[in-house]
Amino acid sequence: MQILVTGATGFLGTALCRALVSRGDTVTALGSRQADLRQPTSLEPFNNTRYDLIYHLAAWTQAGDFCLRHPGEQWIINQQMNTHVLTWWQKSQPQAKFISMGTSCSYDPGMPLAEEHYLDGTPIDSLFTYAHTKRMLYIGQLAFRKQFGLRFATFVPSTLYGPGYHTDGRQMHFIFDLIRKILRGKLYNEPVILWGDGHQKRELIYIDDFVTSMLRLSPSLENEVLNIGAGEEFSIRHFAQLICDNVGYDFNAIRFDTTKYVGAKSKCLDITKLRHLYPDLRLTPLSEGLSRTIAWFREHESKLLPRTQGAA
Ligand SMILES: NC(=O)c1ccc[n+]([C@@H]2O[C@H](COP(=O)([O-])OP(=O)(O)OC[C@H]3O[C@@H](n4cnc5c(N)ncnc54)[C@H](OP(=O)(O)O)[C@@H]3O)[C@@H](O)[C@H]2O)c1
């Protein structure tokens, strides 16, 4: 198949393109250097190829408190990118199925995180703008379905983890930040201070499990949203304990800073629909996924864990 991927240079895009190429697809892999999607004509160079699938992964965001500090820019940039990609799909590639990434942040945390509630209620305040740009992306797909008969699917991942994450110093998703801090504690004897009381709960999905599930379900999921997660969540303390066990650091040496921003108290996708559509889904056990992720951290130690001046 001919497949165009935006966000191909990102954490998910890299893993997705690798999987597509290895199953024999012809992939047009785009990062911002190949096509700056803030520009309305950025996809015109690809008009002459007839794509079967478009995976739209590009988004302007980071983890931590980034969304709290950049709501205006996030609104402009993500709305620009999404509008330009959707417009190009409708005008130049109407035969293609359009597959986008949603976010669990779009759900109202007071409601079940089930697909029928994707547009219901109010997302958490700190992620309000980012969440709504993702909702608007889905609404754009729905609108193009209604008016032009185009085909789409939206996949909503829980937090992705695994080898191959950023090494460029951007804010990290919680699990990578935990690994980084605990490894630094182990290697350099730095104090390990985690944000919040550690009782907030999070769900993870191993990156290859997400890619496998999305590839399996992309042909059959028609004009719908689908959550892809592990369906169970654990406290930050639990994740920290597993990492400590793996790297040989004393969990009791960790300090919890309850003055810091921690986001939602709990965030776990309802995966009833996923289990129904993909009954033989097998997920990578958490301890194994963490082990591989920690091994990847160690391989990239010079970028991810550089010794700072004055460290012991
Ligand atoms: N990671 C998660 O846990 C998670 C969870 C839920 C949903 N998602 C969604 O999944 C998708 C992929 O996430 P990710 O973690 O792989 O993100 P990522 O690593 O931050 O990658 C973002 C991608 O977007 C591209 N991009 C940013 N600005 C652009 C622009 N102006 N023009 C063109 N491309 C631009 C980046 O290109 P450059 O490399 O050139 O900057 C990069 O390829 C996103 O839509 C995200 O919202 C991710």
Side-chain angles (χ1 to χ4, degrees):
M1 283 198 283
Q2 279 284 357
I3 302 183
L4 181 133
V5 181
T6 75
T9 48
F11 177 42
L12 176 56
T14 308
L16 173 63
C17 290
R18 193 169 48 235
L20 291 171
V21 168
S22 75
R23 75 172 194 186
D25 293 306
T26 306
V27 180
T28 303
L30 304 178
S32 62
R33 283 199 191 149
Q34 292 74 33
D36 180 350
L37 300 173
R38 291 171 301 177
Q39 307 306 324
T41 56
S42 52
L43 291 170
E44 281 183 5
F46 310 99
N47 282 353
N48 292 335
T49 303
R50 203 178 146 82
Y51 292 100
D52 302 298
L53 279 175
I54 298 165
Y55 280 97
H56 176 41
L57 274 48
W60 192 76
T61 194
Q62 288 182 32
D65 60 359
F66 183 84
C67 296
L68 258 183
R69 293 186 291 106
H70 299 273
E73 285 168 284
Q74 277 208 310
W75 190 88
I76 295 169
I77 294 171
N78 287 319
Q79 292 288 88
Q80 282 177 333
M81 293 206 289
N82 293 340
T83 303
H84 296 152
V85 178
L86 286 170
T87 305
W88 178 74
W89 171 42
Q90 188 259 319
K91 293 206 179 311
S92 171
Q93 303 289 333
Q95 76 292 336
K97 186 167 182 178
F98 187 96
I99 299 190
S100 71
M101 296 306 107
T103 172
S104 58
C105 314
S106 290
Y107 286 108
D108 180 328
M111 292 180 155
L113 275 56
E115 290 86 349
E116 64 269 27
H117 295 303
Y118 194 65
L119 297 179
D120 294 343
T122 309
I124 187 171
D125 194 46
S126 52
L127 298 163
F128 187 81
T129 306
Y130 173 60
H132 273 95
T133 61
K134 287 291 192 183
R135 282 183 169 191
M136 284 301 288
L137 175 58
Y138 170 58
I139 290 171
Q141 292 169 268
L142 277 176
F144 284 20
R145 167 80 198 148
K146 279 187 190 152
Q147 185 171 352
F148 307 117
L150 307 192
R151 295 163 57 229
F152 76 89
T154 294
F155 292 97
V156 179
S158 56
T159 301
L160 299 160
Y161 80 112
Y165 194 65
H166 318 125
T167 55
D168 60 5
R170 273 182 277 165
Q171 292 203 55
M172 292 178 155
H173 284 84
F174 80 91
I175 193 69
F176 298 95
D177 194 47
L178 271 183
I179 295 172
R180 184 176 61 86
K181 284 179 174 161
I182 294 171
L183 272 175
R184 292 190 70 87
K186 170 78 180 169
L187 292 171
Y188 309 133
N189 213 17
E190 286 179 5
V192 179
I193 303 167
L194 303 185
W195 288 14
D197 61 10
H199 292 295
Q200 67 274 28
K201 289 185 170 172
R202 291 292 181 270
E203 178 195 15
L204 292 176
I205 179 95
Y206 191 67
I207 186 128
D208 292 344
D209 296 343
F210 178 80
V211 169
T212 304
S213 307
M214 181 164 72
L215 292 187
R216 160 89 169 247
L217 295 168
S218 289
S220 56
L221 192 75
E222 289 293 342
N223 314 313
E224 289 179 61
V225 176
L226 180 69
N227 291 337
I228 299 184
E232 58 177 348
E233 60 181 350
F234 299 99
S235 72
I236 296 295
R237 282 175 185 261
H238 180 73
F239 290 118
Q241 181 72 68
L242 290 177
I243 297 164
C244 286
D245 293 347
N246 183 294
V247 308
Y249 185 79
D250 178 9
F251 175 82
N252 295 315
I254 294 177
R255 286 184 4 227
F256 290 88
D257 182 349
T258 52
T259 65
K260 288 288 197 296
Y261 168 77
V262 292
K265 287 209 172 71
S266 160
K267 219 162 73 160
C268 188
L269 294 173
D270 181 328
I271 59 159
T272 310
K273 187 169 166 184
L274 174 66
R275 290 277 180 211
H276 174 71
L277 295 174
Y278 191 172
D280 52 336
L281 170 67
R282 293 280 170 274
L283 294 172
T284 303
L286 179 60
S287 56
E288 194 178 319
L290 280 177
S291 212
R292 289 185 208 159
T293 312
I294 293 166
W296 173 81
F297 252 84
R298 290 194 182 274
E299 275 168 42
H300 297 269
E301 200 171 307
S302 60
K303 283 186 193 155
L304 288 165
L305 306 162
R307 185 186 284 267
T308 48
Q309 259 189 342

